Amino acid sequence: MSTRDVAALSEAVLVDARPNNRYRGEEPETDPRLGKVPEADPRRGHIPNAINVPCREHLEADGLIKPPQAIRDRFAAKGIVDASGVVSYCGAGVTACHNLLAMEYAGLGQGRLYPGSWSAWSRNAELPAAIGHC
């Protein structure tokens, strides 16, 4: 799925897998081992109307994935009960795959990936960007 395809969508549910602060357009997170995570994109924020479901929240404190019902409940709280209409993105297309796998694991079906993700979207100044919560 290309940036042009995503920009033309009218029915899909866009899901942003990045941490909340990245979605809201705030300062990048700090990694306890590495320090402040560098920014690679020309703009902050998210694709308008996207829902934020940070992929790291699918994991237990020990790094194992949460039970399927917990993940189903989490997506349902965001209004997602079927992944067939979902397009998942993140910063560069990697952690978006985690959300797609989590939805399948939870029995919600298959969504689609926007591999260019925020990095591709934010480089096109003609496309809108949102900050804060949607």
Side-chain angles (χ1 to χ4, degrees), residues 38-130:
E39 293 185 80
D41 303 315
R43 296 188 287 169
R44 292 181 177 176
H46 60 271
I47 298 172
N49 300 315
I51 298 167
N52 188 216
V53 183
C55 70
R56 292 180 187 142
E57 294 178 10
H58 302 309
L59 304 176
E60 301 284 4
D62 62 5
L64 296 176
I65 194 162
K66 291 181 178 180
Q69 186 61 51
I71 293 173
R72 272 193 301 278
D73 292 346
R74 191 155 172 274
F75 279 105
K78 300 283 187 162
I80 300 168
V81 295
D82 177 8
S84 64
V86 170
V87 174
S88 185
Y89 79 94
C90 56
V94 178
T95 58
C97 294
H98 189 282
N99 269 353
L100 293 172
L101 290 169
M103 286 186 281
E104 283 195 56
Y105 169 71
L108 300 178
Q110 295 181 346
R112 294 177 287 171
L113 174 66
Y114 170 32
S117 288
W118 181 248
S119 289
W121 185 277
S122 68
R123 281 175 172 62
N124 185 335
E126 295 178 12
L127 295 172

